[in-house]
Amino acid sequence: SIPIAKQLASIKALRKGSDLEKAFATAALVYNNSADPKGKLSKAEAKSLLQTQFLSFMQGQESKPKYQEIISALDEESENKIDFEDFMILLVSLALMSDLLREIRNVKTTK
């Protein structure tokens, strides 16, 4: 398996890409490395990927009803597969409710 950083560096269009472009490309590469040949993940695989690659955003969210709803949906019908678009919706949903996002928003930047 080729490291994500090396895969990212191999994408010529991103050599001068912005931080945001590289962040999105990284998310796409992480997803693609786990997806099946049709570009899909089982719900169980999606849950595992989120728990290993997005843990800092998910920590402390267990008591929130929306978090429980999202995670329980991944436990149901685990043979069903999700595509990249659905995975990104999960990712953004979890990020928006996270305590880490609030902390990030409070970081002071210098100009």
Side-chain angles (χ1 to χ4, degrees):
S1 161
I2 300 170
I4 295 293
K6 191 167 186 167
Q7 290 177 47
L8 193 61
S10 73
I11 302 170
K12 193 174 188 177
L14 289 177
R15 291 198 180 130
K16 293 184 180 180
S18 70
D19 291 340
L20 187 56
E21 290 169 322
K22 290 176 183 175
F24 190 84
T26 299
L29 286 169
V30 168
Y31 177 88
N32 287 341
N33 286 339
S34 297
D36 66 19
K38 293 181 180 180
K40 298 197 177 218
L41 289 175
S42 71
K43 288 183 176 184
E45 290 167 329
K47 181 179 178 182
S48 176
L49 186 60
L50 289 168
Q51 289 174 327
T52 58
Q53 293 287 323
F54 212 58
L55 185 60
S56 295
F57 278 90
M58 294 173 62
Q59 283 181 330
Q61 306 310 304
E62 297 83 9
S63 64
K64 293 181 180 178
K66 186 65 177 169
Y67 173 88
Q68 292 173 352
E69 180 184 324
I70 290 170
I71 295 304
S72 67
L74 292 176
D75 289 332
E76 297 170 2
E77 303 176 41
S78 61
E79 70 277 353
N80 289 348
K81 298 202 173 212
I82 65 171
D83 60 16
F84 180 66
E85 181 180 313
D86 291 334
F87 182 77
M88 290 304 293
I89 291 168
L90 285 171
L91 197 68
V92 170
S93 297
L94 291 168
L96 288 173
M97 73 176 77
S98 74
D99 297 329
L100 181 55
L101 183 60
R102 271 187 295 250
E103 187 178 328
I104 290 167
R105 288 178 175 158
N106 290 330
V107 171
K108 301 295 181 204
T109 58
T110 57
K111 293 186 180 193

